[in-house]
Amino acid sequence: MSADRPDRPGVAALVAELEVRRHARTALAVGVGFAAVVFLLFAYLPGTDESLAFWAGLSFVLAFSVFGLVATVLVGIAAYRRTLEVRGREPGRRSPSTLAIVFGLLGWVLVPVVATLAVDVPSPEFRLAIALLSSGFVALTVGGIGVRAVGALTLEHVWRPPEALVGAVVYTTVVAAPAVGCPSGGICLGTPDSLVAATVGLQASAAPPAYAVVALGGGAVIGLGLGLRGASPPHGFFAGAVAALSVLPIVAAASGEPDVVRSTALYLPVVLGGVAAVGNAAGIAASRSLSGD
């Protein structure tokens, strides 16, 4: 080593502490296995007009991409758990949000693949049903990741199921009740997919202001209540994610479009969960202020 470029034992210690090499080996096995399955199901077994060398090249890119994604996730989880340990918190072996991410990813990938292999020419109704089913797994995955992200940002690992479930039920009612009449053409304030278009797509006319006030304002109030009861911000995000998952049938009935259902499942947990988590944090701050902490 030169004088101006000394050895960095801290980096090597960090790599060893987070078990980066072990996670890299695991990620490599996952990437290669996933790419091999895709190559087998979509190129080798059904046959293809393209050369197998072309598919092999694509499989290599897919394997490398999956390797990078899985390695990043595994090392990130290890860093998060180590951070909790340094702060004197017990990270635990598993959590509901982790199980939701794993289960959601499996369903997200497997349901469309199985449906494609099972039915040659699906009807519009069948496509909508598959979109609704797979979108449930999408919302489950996004919600689980959101809960983990909010937990990491707050470094709060206390899980209180009663408060979380009560908040989820109440928020689901707040989001669903104003939209119940929409599929049949009755009077309603709006539908969750319109709320996504208005908030994510910045289309002010997509959802009536009254529905935005009820859904987003209601989430802030519910999160505030959870915070005042001492529940941490991940509980608020959980309530929003469950509400997003629960109202997907209303979106499917109102739109009848698989693309609308899928986009709603991807963005609605973030919209509802984010609002409730912010309200949750405000409730915690208000509670501490009132108690004089």
Side-chain angles (χ1 to χ4, degrees):
M1 283 293 172
S2 62
D4 60 341
R5 211 175 151 76
D7 191 12
R8 296 181 296 171
V11 175
L14 180 62
V15 169
E17 185 75 24
L18 299 181
E19 299 182 291
V20 173
R21 291 183 177 86
R22 182 174 69 85
H23 293 317
R25 289 193 296 268
T26 301
L28 181 61
V30 173
V32 171
F34 182 76
V37 170
V38 171
F39 177 82
L40 186 67
L41 291 178
F42 293 97
Y44 185 77
L45 291 180
T48 176
D49 295 333
E50 302 286 350
S51 68
L52 291 182
F54 171 78
W55 276 94
L58 292 180
S59 299
F60 173 79
V61 174
L62 178 61
F64 186 79
S65 300
V66 173
F67 159 75
L69 175 62
V70 174
T72 300
V73 171
L74 291 177
V75 174
I77 292 174
Y80 167 66
R81 293 170 66 87
R82 182 57 183 156
T83 302
L84 290 178
E85 292 174 355
V86 169
R87 293 179 64 89
R89 300 180 184 275
E90 173 58 44
R93 292 297 177 185
R94 55 184 174 271
S95 68
S97 57
T98 301
L99 296 177
I101 294 171
V102 173
F103 184 64
L105 283 173
L106 289 175
W108 187 352
V109 173
L110 293 179
V111 169
V113 171
V114 172
T116 301
L117 295 176
V119 180
D120 293 332
V121 184
S123 64
E125 292 78 14
F126 182 81
R127 286 198 297 268
L128 181 61
I130 294 300
L132 180 59
L133 183 59
S134 60
S135 294
F137 288 111
V138 171
L140 196 63
T141 303
V142 175
I145 293 174
V147 171
R148 297 295 290 181
V150 173
L153 291 174
T154 59
L155 294 177
E156 182 66 52
H157 199 71
V158 178
W159 188 247
R160 299 181 179 178
E163 284 84 353
L165 292 176
V166 169
V169 171
V170 174
Y171 201 10
T172 298
T173 303
V174 168
V175 177
V180 169
C182 292
S184 60
I187 298 176
C188 66
L189 294 180
T191 54
D193 56 306
S194 298
L195 183 62
V196 168
T199 55
V200 177
L202 302 179
Q203 302 173 14
S205 61
Y211 186 68
V213 169
V214 170
L216 301 182
V221 172
I222 291 167
L224 183 68
L226 289 172
L228 291 174
R229 288 186 57 84
S232 57
H235 294 73
F237 199 100
F238 170 83
V242 172
L245 180 63
S246 301
V247 299
L248 283 180
I250 291 179
V251 177
S255 67
E257 295 291 336
D259 290 341
V260 172
V261 177
R262 283 190 287 263
S263 62
T264 303
L266 187 62
Y267 293 113
L268 193 61
V270 179
V271 173
L272 300 186
V275 168
V278 170
N280 207 156
I284 292 176
S287 177
R288 290 175 178 174
S289 175
L290 292 175
S291 63
D293 292 345

